Amino acid sequence: MVSLSTPLSQFPTVKKSLLKKLASLGLRSARDLIFYFPFRYDDFSRIVPINQLQSETRVTARGRLQLIAHKRSSWQRRLITEAMLADNTGQLRAIWFNQPYIAKVLQVGDKLSLAGKVELSRFGMQMVNPTFEKIKVDGASVHTGRLVPIYPTTAGVTQKQLRFLISRALAAASQCPEWLLPEIIRVNNFPALPAALQEIHFPSGGIKSAKARERFQFEELFLIQLKNELARREWRGLAAKAVVFQEKETKDFVSGLGFTLTDDQRRSAWEILQDMSGNRPMNRLLNGDVGSGKTIVALTAIYNAALNHFQSVWLAPTEILAQQHFATACRLFNGREIRVGLLTGSSAKISSQEIVDCPKKKFLSEVAAGKIDLVIGTHAVIGDKVCFQNLALAIVDEQHRFGVEQRRLLRAKSANDSTPHFLSMTATPIPRSYALALFGDLDLSLIKQMPIGRCKIITRLVEEINRHKAYKFIREQVGQGRQIFVICPLIEEKEAPSGRQLVLMEKKTVLAEFKKLSEEIFFDLRINFLHGKMKPKEKETVMQDFLNKKFDILVATSVVEVGVDIPNASVMMIEGAERFGLAQLHQFRGRVGRSVHQSYCLLFTNAVSELSKQRLWYFVNTADGFELAEKDLELRGPGEVFGETQHGFPELKIATLQNIELIKKSRESARQIIDSDPTLVKHSLLQKKLVEWESGVHLE
Ligand code: ADP
Ligand code: MG
């Protein structure tokens, strides 16, 4: 009798060597098997009489084994097992390569079911390497004659082994406690857990299977929503400093910018200031495409904090960006009695009327005394011995959100026991469904509108034969005084086992491209390069020089991806474009077109696959970052799109972020439950499930 905790060693046919491999897939008990879901199904549900088999169809044929024998192919010395299957209507040939055990397990006279692709050969219809299964007395089948589950697996564990073991383990499915609330099951018409498990592995097809799938998708989204909702309420219970909106000064600041804010900017700023005026900490995500003008919105919030005599901190992902934000803040706050500090691994600077270098120790004591209103820096600001006197606002730029850990560290930095208001800013447009599903604990401000007067960036996929034309065009642009980015892809990760090597290879591609361009193509132009391996100071110098037009062409890796502002640049040329995600390409494209000059994005690719090309064509024809993100999500999944920078990103086993209806439903259910039972004391099974899910272990 199988129970949920039965170890796999007690399953029939599981030897020690297999046990190890199963463990590497995380499979140790019957329970693990039951919750190991297939990622797709092969449809072999059509059972066809042999004389009606058609070539190129994937079907199941049944009959009696008339003959089975080995032979060795003369030309490749491969072992071939050949069999003949017959039903009332005709004969079907089957062959298997290099699987001698088959002739041992099958005997003439066996009643057999074969699933595979039918081909027309000179012997008539045949199947090559079909899946076979002896027909049981009760007619139940696992590998043929049905929708057959395909599982993620590893070398040495076959689909047949997994299916066999899972079909055995499912006998214990009825012991799984039903943790989903009866009300939810009833309203959504979901199958009970054991039936749903049976269906997800061995679907009977039709509505029953669809409902089982929906149940598991719902489960996953529901758990995410519960977690979000709990985090959100915990957050709301904390105290923050109320920042009183200074209307007159804010209007004065905005009117001095030299342009009018877009409606979206205005609304976002208002939402943020509204949040900050309360004594509960803000936790908001400002999401706007590259170039949509998030910086001004952030500075408005910072300005108000400073007018209330509170400090702000602004984290940038790279030193270059910290430098640039510092320059922007100094420029825009000029003459406003706001002291801005820059703190990075390599330097500390303070600006009030003018910018001066400052010893780190002095810098830190000024921050601790509350004499610096805004500290801009890299993540060193969190790790460093920085202590604020009265921190009220923390901004993180181009990171997708504050992780739990970052928030904890920043809270600890405030000398008083209030929590700062948190504002995350991202230029990776986040599709609505995604934000709803995964960032449910954040409030969202969207800037969808671009400032008026921006030219559309002309994007072209350049054929290799036209490469010289592109170079000629670049030369013309430089002739008109413009500057050019050339982006090189990183070497693929599988060639670089350690992170260290990856960086080295990044350097290599950049240097090779730099050498080619500077020696052969643009030998008369001024070229420089930038890669992740360079020292912060070197990078800073290069960017500063580029900004000051000391050279024309910058060859770089994705270091320039985020935020860097070179208004004079008009061409973004990208090599190996197929290696980048759409969202990332869009980030690159956003590096140009940041002023009045008509700008261009030129893509080069070695891609041969149709899908890669389609992806790039989609990019060429779509200017809207939100649409691109949506597409990227569809094509590559959220893990790929948002990458490792994402903190606390839950891995979705079965749910999709396209199903906005289901996301809404799960959110609604989660909120209702927590409304009625804020700590889940009355829902102990649910609480246990949530803990299990978050920690990824089963508390049996
Ligand atoms: P991002 O959202 O990518 O961080 P920035 O805040 O860097 O964008 O803004 C990009 C550029 O657009 C900056 O040079 C900024 O001064 C300018 N800008 C911002 N808002 C407006 C506006 N409403 N009208 C015109 N230009 C603007
Ligand atoms: Mg920015």
Side-chain angles (χ1 to χ4, degrees):
M1 180 60 190
V2 187
S3 81
L4 288 174
S5 55
T6 304
L8 298 191
S9 56
Q10 286 177 23
F11 274 63
T13 75
V14 177
K15 300 211 181 68
K16 252 211 169 111
S17 57
L18 181 59
L19 214 53
K20 250 195 183 156
K21 287 171 192 145
L22 290 168
S24 78
L25 294 172
L27 303 173
R28 291 180 181 82
S29 67
R31 181 186 177 124
D32 296 338
L33 286 173
I34 290 176
F35 288 95
Y36 195 69
F37 290 179
F39 65 93
R40 66 175 174 90
Y41 305 89
D42 274 348
D43 188 356
F44 287 116
S45 56
R46 272 182 62 220
I47 302 170
V48 180
I50 290 177
N51 71 347
Q52 288 174 33
L53 289 174
Q54 288 175 340
S55 70
E56 300 303 310
T57 55
R58 298 167 71 83
V59 295
T60 296
R62 288 182 166 171
R64 203 176 277 281
L65 195 63
Q66 288 191 319
L67 172 146
I68 184 154
H70 289 313
K71 64 180 189 188
R72 210 162 263 288
S73 70
S74 49
W75 42 284
Q76 275 179 317
R77 298 188 49 80
R78 282 202 291 186
L79 181 82
I80 299 176
T81 305
E82 185 174 17
M84 204 59 88
L85 190 79
D87 67 3
N88 299 334
T89 69
Q91 278 188 322
L92 171 69
R93 181 179 185 252
I95 53 169
W96 292 272
F97 293 106
N98 293 330
Q99 298 182 58
Y101 80 97
I102 291 176
K104 291 194 190 118
V105 296
L106 297 182
Q107 284 176 350
V108 169
D110 281 347
K111 284 173 89 179
L112 210 60
S113 183
L114 296 181
K117 196 168 117 189
V118 181
E119 300 175 357
L120 185 59
S121 75
R122 60 195 165 102
F123 305 103
M125 291 299 177
Q126 69 171 23
M127 284 184 180
V128 178
N129 291 327
T131 305
F132 63 89
E133 179 171 29
K134 288 187 196 176
I135 297 174
K136 298 201 190 73
V137 191
D138 64 0
S141 62
V142 172
H143 309 293
T144 65
R146 57 164 18 275
L147 285 164
V148 178
I150 307 292
Y151 297 94
T153 189
T154 179
V157 184
T158 66
Q159 294 294 335
K160 271 184 113 165
Q161 282 170 323
L162 283 169
R163 264 178 242 137
F164 170 75
L165 293 172
I166 288 168
S167 68
R168 288 296 175 104
L170 279 169
S174 60
Q175 299 161 27
C176 294
E178 181 61 86
W179 62 274
L180 207 53
L181 312 189
E183 179 64 10
I184 292 181
I185 293 181
R186 196 182 56 74
V187 169
N188 293 288
N189 212 356
F190 288 149
L193 186 52
L197 286 164
Q198 181 67 38
E199 280 292 328
I200 202 78
H201 289 288
F202 298 104
S204 57
I207 186 82
K208 241 169 116 183
S209 308
K211 272 292 177 190
R213 183 159 205 87
E214 192 184 308
R215 178 194 152 119
F216 290 116
Q217 294 179 330
F218 177 90
E219 279 189 11
E220 220 168 6
L221 296 167
F222 178 60
L223 289 169
I224 293 171
Q225 298 295 348
L226 276 178
K227 191 179 142 211
N228 281 343
E229 196 54 29
L230 287 169
R232 188 187 171 88
R233 288 186 196 220
E234 189 192 331
W235 191 250
R236 274 203 224 137
L238 300 169
K241 298 219 174 310
V243 173
V244 182
F245 175 41
Q246 305 292 316
E247 191 174 350
K248 188 175 147 288
E249 288 85 346
T250 305
K251 279 194 171 147
D252 181 59
F253 172 64
V254 170
S255 67
L257 291 172
F259 49 75
T260 37
L261 295 185
T262 62
D263 288 346
D264 283 355
Q265 280 174 314
R266 208 183 298 279
R267 189 181 27 77
S268 297
W270 187 81
E271 285 166 351
I272 289 164
L273 290 166
Q274 189 77 7
D275 278 3
M276 285 170 51
S277 69
N279 50 14
R280 299 281 167 230
M282 165 171 76
N283 194 17
R284 189 170 277 278
L285 179 69
L286 177 58
N287 188 193
D289 213 336
V290 255
S292 62
K294 294 181 290 298
T295 311
I296 298 301
V297 175
L299 288 176
T300 310
I302 291 165
Y303 187 45
N304 273 274
L307 291 171
N308 281 262
H309 307 289
F310 294 130
Q311 292 173 290
S312 302
V313 62
W314 188 354
L315 301 187
T318 64
E319 188 148 346
I320 296 175
L321 274 174
Q323 294 277 352
Q324 220 163 63
H325 292 331
F326 179 65
T328 307
C330 291
R331 182 164 50 84
L332 295 178
F333 286 145
N334 190 20
R336 283 184 193 275
E337 309 240 322
I338 289 193
R339 295 185 84 215
V340 186
L342 174 72
L343 183 67
T344 67
S346 57
S347 70
K349 289 179 189 170
I350 298 179
S351 146
S352 40
Q353 295 313 316
E354 56 187 296
I355 299 170
V356 289
D357 281 321
C358 174
K360 246 189 193 162
K361 215 167 155 191
K362 177 155 181 280
F363 187 95
L364 294 178
S365 73
E366 297 233 338
V367 175
K371 287 187 193 155
I372 300 185
D373 302 296
L374 167 62
V375 177
I376 298 176
T378 54
H379 274 61
V381 170
I382 302 185
D384 227 316
K385 296 179 195 105
V386 190
C387 208
F388 293 85
Q389 193 196 43
N390 53 10
L391 182 65
L393 173 63
I395 296 176
V396 64
D397 191 18
E398 311 291 2
Q399 202 78 22
H400 298 110
R401 65 191 287 202
F402 278 109
V404 174
E405 186 59 8
Q406 286 176 313
R407 287 203 301 235
R408 198 184 59 74
L409 285 167
L410 268 168
R411 268 165 74 184
K413 294 212 159 295
S414 202
N416 51 63
D417 54 3
S418 73
T419 300
H421 297 284
F422 281 93
L423 179 65
S424 300
M425 297 201 288
T426 175
T428 309
I430 296 173
R432 196 174 146 61
S433 62
Y434 182 92
L436 207 59
L438 301 178
F439 298 148
D441 57 331
L442 295 180
D443 295 305
L444 200 61
S445 290
L446 279 181
I447 309 186
K448 284 204 150 188
Q449 227 171 0
M450 284 296 188
I452 39 168
R454 289 279 161 82
C455 301
K456 198 167 161 261
I457 297 165
I458 296 173
T459 306
R460 294 273 183 270
L461 188 58
V462 185
E463 296 286 338
E464 204 47 47
I465 51 163
N466 290 325
R467 182 177 278 276
H468 67 284
K469 288 190 196 157
Y471 286 149
K472 184 164 164 265
F473 177 73
I474 285 174
R475 194 173 273 286
E476 285 164 14
Q477 286 287 309
V478 173
Q480 290 168 28
R482 299 288 80 73
Q483 287 165 292
I484 317 294
F485 283 107
V486 178
I487 301 291
C488 306
L490 298 175
I491 298 290
E492 270 176 60
E493 253 173 276
K494 51 180 179 284
E495 296 166 29
S498 75
R500 191 181 148 74
Q501 243 161 313
L502 189 73
V503 180
L504 285 174
M505 292 201 190
E506 169 189 342
K507 179 175 165 184
K508 209 171 116 194
T509 49
V510 166
L511 292 185
E513 185 68 20
F514 171 71
K515 189 168 149 63
K516 182 185 117 185
L517 293 181
S518 58
E519 290 176 6
E520 296 166 27
I521 316 284
F522 302 123
F523 44 84
D524 52 334
L525 301 181
R526 300 167 303 167
I527 308 192
N528 211 336
F529 62 86
L530 188 72
H531 59 72
K533 189 76 184 162
M534 288 159 64
K535 294 203 179 73
K537 213 66 207 172
E538 294 173 331
K539 287 194 225 170
E540 187 191 324
T541 312
V542 171
M543 284 318 290
Q544 208 58 53
D545 287 352
F546 199 39
L547 193 61
N548 294 336
K549 303 181 193 162
K550 289 196 182 156
F551 60 94
D552 313 301
I553 301 176
L554 179 63
V555 183
T557 52
S558 50
V559 194
V560 296
E561 179 189 346
V562 277
V564 180
D565 202 5
I566 308 284
N568 187 47
S570 68
V571 180
M572 170 58 66
M573 169 170 166
I574 303 170
E575 296 284 352
E578 78 281 359
R579 302 222 193 181
F580 301 104
L582 296 179
Q584 203 179 7
L585 288 173
H586 187 65
Q587 288 284 320
F588 292 141
R589 180 162 61 184
R591 296 303 109 228
V592 295
R594 293 174 83 88
S595 67
V596 294
H597 310 297
Q598 174 61 54
S599 296
Y600 306 84
C601 179
L602 307 178
L603 307 171
F604 288 81
T605 175
N606 306 313
V608 279
S609 93
E610 219 23 64
L611 187 68
S612 288
K613 281 195 189 143
Q614 271 176 24
R615 231 163 48 84
L616 293 177
W617 273 115
Y618 189 83
F619 177 73
V620 168
N621 293 316
T622 312
D624 184 310
F626 283 90
E627 257 175 62
L628 284 168
E630 203 89 57
K631 191 75 178 176
D632 221 14
L633 202 57
E634 179 190 319
L635 293 174
R636 301 194 309 155
E640 285 284 320
V641 179
F642 298 98
E644 282 167 26
T645 48
Q646 191 57 61
H647 295 279
F649 186 86
E651 200 177 320
L652 296 174
K653 209 161 93 171
I654 184 165
T656 65
L657 296 177
Q658 264 83 52
N659 195 341
I660 192 137
E661 280 315 309
L662 203 62
I663 292 168
K664 280 187 187 157
K665 236 190 235 178
S666 65
R667 185 179 169 107
E668 206 42 54
S669 295
R671 290 201 165 168
Q672 273 171 18
I673 287 165
I674 294 178
D675 274 340
S676 69
D677 182 13
T679 53
L680 295 182
V681 280
K682 287 181 243 156
H683 297 85
S684 57
L685 266 179
L686 189 59
Q687 192 175 36
K688 192 171 146 207
K689 178 77 186 178
L690 193 62
V691 174
E692 260 181 33
W693 174 77
E694 281 188 284
S695 60
V697 291
H698 301 297
L699 309 170
E700 203 69 46

